[in-house]
Structures are given as structure tokens and as C-alpha cells.
Amino acid sequence: MNMKKVRYILALDQGTTSSRAIVFDDRCRIRASAQAEFGQIYPREGWVEHDPLEIYSSQAGVISEALARCGLNRNDVSAIGITNQRETTVVWERDSGRPICNAVVWQCRRSAARCDELKSAGLDRMIYQKTGLPIDAYFSATKLEWILDNIDGARARAENGELLFGTVDTYLMWKFSAGKIFATDRTNASRTMLFNIHTLEWDDELLKLFNIPRAMLPEVKPSGSMFGYTDEAAFGAKIPIAGVAGDQQAALFGQRCFEKGMCKNTFGTGCFLLMNTGDKAVESKHGLITTLAASFGEPQYALEGSVFVGGAVVQWLRDAMRVVRTAAETETYASKVDDTLGVYIVPAFVGLGAPYWDAYARGTITGITRGATREHIIRAALESISYQVYDVLRAMEKDCGLNVDKLAVDGGAAANNFLMQFTADILGCDVARSEILETTALGVCYLAGLTAGIITDKSSLPDSGGTVFAPAKTDAERKKLIDGWHEAVRRTLGGRA
């Protein structure tokens, strides 16, 4: 009998707190995975760093572990895909590959004062029109500028062509290829605040503004591209790297949101909601980010909105308030009552994001009466996540002139059935939970598989299965609940209770 040899795809998921490796077969089924945490460095308040060499070593370690778990070695891998924490900034020596300092993580606020200067100079509009981004320390440009200005000799060395810059995907590809690949993809480039998302090039005006030498910057390719090959001596085998995308864009692709108007939300510590806007970069009037989506040749765009406190409100209930022992218990308690008895929680622990953008808002609980119990508070906390997703999704619909009839969901908190059903009830649309919640890795599996010819075309991608939650509330019931939420938000804005 002629048995077809299975071709394997290795997905590297390099996150903010851990590195993962997942082995997929050529039918996009998970065969094995491994994960390792790495250190978080906090030099001072508001500063967050990672050791790039620890990121690299942890990623290399989990590759070996995942392959061993399914009885494979590196020569059995046909293609590699990489998805990564976005915006985190690494600078290293061109000749040696050694980082000149720790990576400045996306969460780091050390360049916030510089961002305030740029806003005061009236540069918001120009930067948004080119990059789709607001001016914020979240993005890479001011992090890279800070490194060049504050690490001894860095700027002179960069101007002499001795130093290279990259997000984490770029650094990993450089290391695994022994310096033969110096590239990134469009999704990661679009988060640097240096890349023009319309011309698809590093922008000269922005490079001049931040005083960044062009020679430091990697080549930018579509997410589905042949980036190059790992080095046999450095990696253990010569394997094509055929798909790269930032984590949220990878999840959008992994959810198969290929068409205009299709949306996904990742329910994690926060919530990241992305809508595919097709070949048009939609300018947001509601404080959303315009970004590039993962694609092959022609660019595709997306709108992105972030909820600062999603699953983190459950962590607060568990760790600070100690009203539950595990996150999973919230589903049981919330289901014991029919409603919240009028209680609303607005978890503005670090302000409110889109569409309110009030950095001074602080969390509130409204509507408490003597009859309120632990169950009502827990239910209100879960409902607050759904309400925040509702606000972002409605902002997207207004920006695009579209009505969403299905939201694809993933992430750890998506396992909570109560939360998924209430989200469907409040949005008034189907909520489709993928059977594979790790859709970031699945997204780059798809990208790498399609690029390498392991998967023939998008239409042949397997159905990810899962569960669909259909809305069960009437329009009148939905409106009453949302009106109550918006009244609670009104009381929260500006810190006014």
C-alpha cells in the first residue's frame, strides 16, 4: 500500500510571559505542544523588560520538547510559522547577534513623557494618517528611540550600521537562521509607529522624527511568505519559515476571518477585538486602531479595539476580593441567579479604552442594594466583560457601516459558557467558540501551510468545530440592560462616582 507521508508544521507562539511550540500535522491537528515561562524584569515602576537571550533559549527548548513528545525530530518538520507578542523592541549587534540591552516590552511606559511631547507638538493626526496608530508608548518607535538615546554608544553604532532593530519575530528568525534572515511581516511592522500602512514601507518622515537609521530596519514581507530557512548548524535542520504574524492578527487568521466584516475577539486578561476591513484601511472615528491584517500578496486591513480589563476582573474576584477560589467557579455562581439585581461593575482599574478613552476613570460598582449577594457581584463582573466587548463592536460597526451577525471567539475566558451566552445575548448575534482556543498558533500554522504548499488553499482548511451560542434575549431586554450599563459608565467617567 502506498502510504502518504505526513507533513508537519511547527508553530512557535512567543508570548509575553511564556514561549510555546505546537506541532500540527498536515490536517492542522495538534500532535503535541510544550510551554515554558520566562522572566519578567521590572527595573522601576512602569518599566517592563525581557532578556532576549532567555526568550530565544526558552523558545528553542520548547521546540525540542514538543517534537520529542510526538516522536519527531527537526528534520520531520516541513514548515515553521511564528506568532509573537507585538511591539516589544529588541536591538542587537549585527556581527555577533548579542542584544545591547534588555528588550523593552510593549507594556513598558518609560517613553510616555516623549509621547506627551509629540502630542503637544500636534503630531497626532500626521502619525495616525500614516500608521493607523495613536501616539502611545505602547508602540515600538519611542521605545527604540529611547534605547538609542540612553544606551551608551548606541546611536553612533546604529548610524555606523553596527546595530539592528526588530520585534521578537525578527530576532527569533535572525537567531534561528544564524543571521541569514533579517525580516519581519506587515502585521508586526504596522505596530512600530514607523511603518506607513498605505505605502507598505518604512516612512522617511517618521524615521526622521524619531531619528532612526534606516539601515537598522528589517525587510517587510506579507505574513504568508517564504522568509528564508533556518540554519542547520544553529537550528538542527534547514526548514523554511513560511508564515509570521503578530499574535492578534494571527488569531484573526486562525479564526478564518478572511472576508470584510468578519470579526474575532480574544477573551484573555484583556480583550482584543479585530474586524477584517478588506483591502481598505478604515479611518476610525471612535478611537480604534487601524492596522494590517495577515495576508499573502495584496494587503488586507483590520480595525482593532482593546478592552483593558477582561478576564482580569475574574482574577480580581479571585485574588483580591477572594470571593471565588478558581476562575472556573464564576460560571457556577453566576448561573445561580437570574440577573444581577441591578448591580453593574465597571472594571476601569486602569482607565477605560475604546470608545471612551478616559485614562482617569476608575472602577465602580453601582446599583447595590441590601439584597445583593456574592452571586450577583460575580455575575455583574462577568457581564462587564460582555458589555465592554459590545461597546467596541458597535464602534467598529459605526466606522465600517456594517452589521456583524457572528463573532468568532477564543482565549482562556472563552471557556466560560455563561460569559459566552451572555455575550451573544448582549451583542444580539451568534458567538462561535472555536474547538481550538489556541488560534494564534493555528493562524500561523495556516499561513505557513498555505505558503509551503502543505495546505492547497483556504477553502481546504478544516472546520475548526466548536460551539455556537445564539442570542436568547429580546431587543427590549437587551436595550434595558445596555442602557443600565451606559448609565454605570457615565458615573465612572472622569473618576466621578
Side-chain angles (χ1 to χ4, degrees), residues 86 131 185-191 195-198 200 220 223 249 252 274 281 289-295 298-304:
R86 302 175 300 176
T131 68
D185 88 300
R186 290 171 180 168
T187 67
N188 279 293
S190 72
R191 313 296 294 197
F195 188 73
N196 190 312
I197 62 173
H198 309 288
L200 305 179
V220 181
S223 299
Q249 288 98 330
L252 186 71
L274 271 74
I289 289 170
T290 306
T291 194
L292 281 157
S295 62
E298 294 301 312
Q300 283 199 314
Y301 294 88
L303 282 174
E304 178 175 334

Side-chain angles (χ1 to χ4, degrees), residues 13-20 38 40 50 55 59 83-85 106 168 247:
D13 185 353
Q14 202 298 298
T16 305
T17 60
S18 67
S19 297
R20 302 186 69 215
F38 56 88
Q40 307 295 303
H50 292 156
I55 289 176
Q59 193 68 71
T83 182
N84 58 286
Q85 53 169 311
W106 61 271
V168 173
D247 52 11

Side-chain angles (χ1 to χ4, degrees), residues 204-286:
D204 287 330
E205 186 176 5
L206 295 175
L207 296 182
K208 182 177 180 182
L209 174 65
F210 294 104
N211 198 14
I212 307 299
R214 179 177 282 274
M216 293 189 75
L217 304 176
E219 179 185 2
V220 181
K221 295 186 176 186
S223 299
S225 295
M226 293 297 289
F227 287 83
Y229 290 83
T230 58
D231 180 79
E232 189 164 1
F235 190 78
K238 185 179 180 180
I239 306 167
I241 298 175
V244 176
D247 52 11
Q248 298 308 320
Q249 288 98 330
L252 186 71
F253 201 88
Q255 288 281 17
R256 302 191 297 178
C257 294
F258 303 140
E259 304 299 328
K260 180 179 178 180
M262 298 180 76
C263 296
K264 74 89 192 175
N265 184 62
T266 297
F267 286 87
T269 301
C271 292
F272 293 90
L273 185 60
L274 271 74
M275 174 188 281
N276 186 324
T277 63
D279 59 4
K280 181 182 179 185
V282 174
E283 182 174 333
S284 177
K285 304 295 185 184
H286 300 89

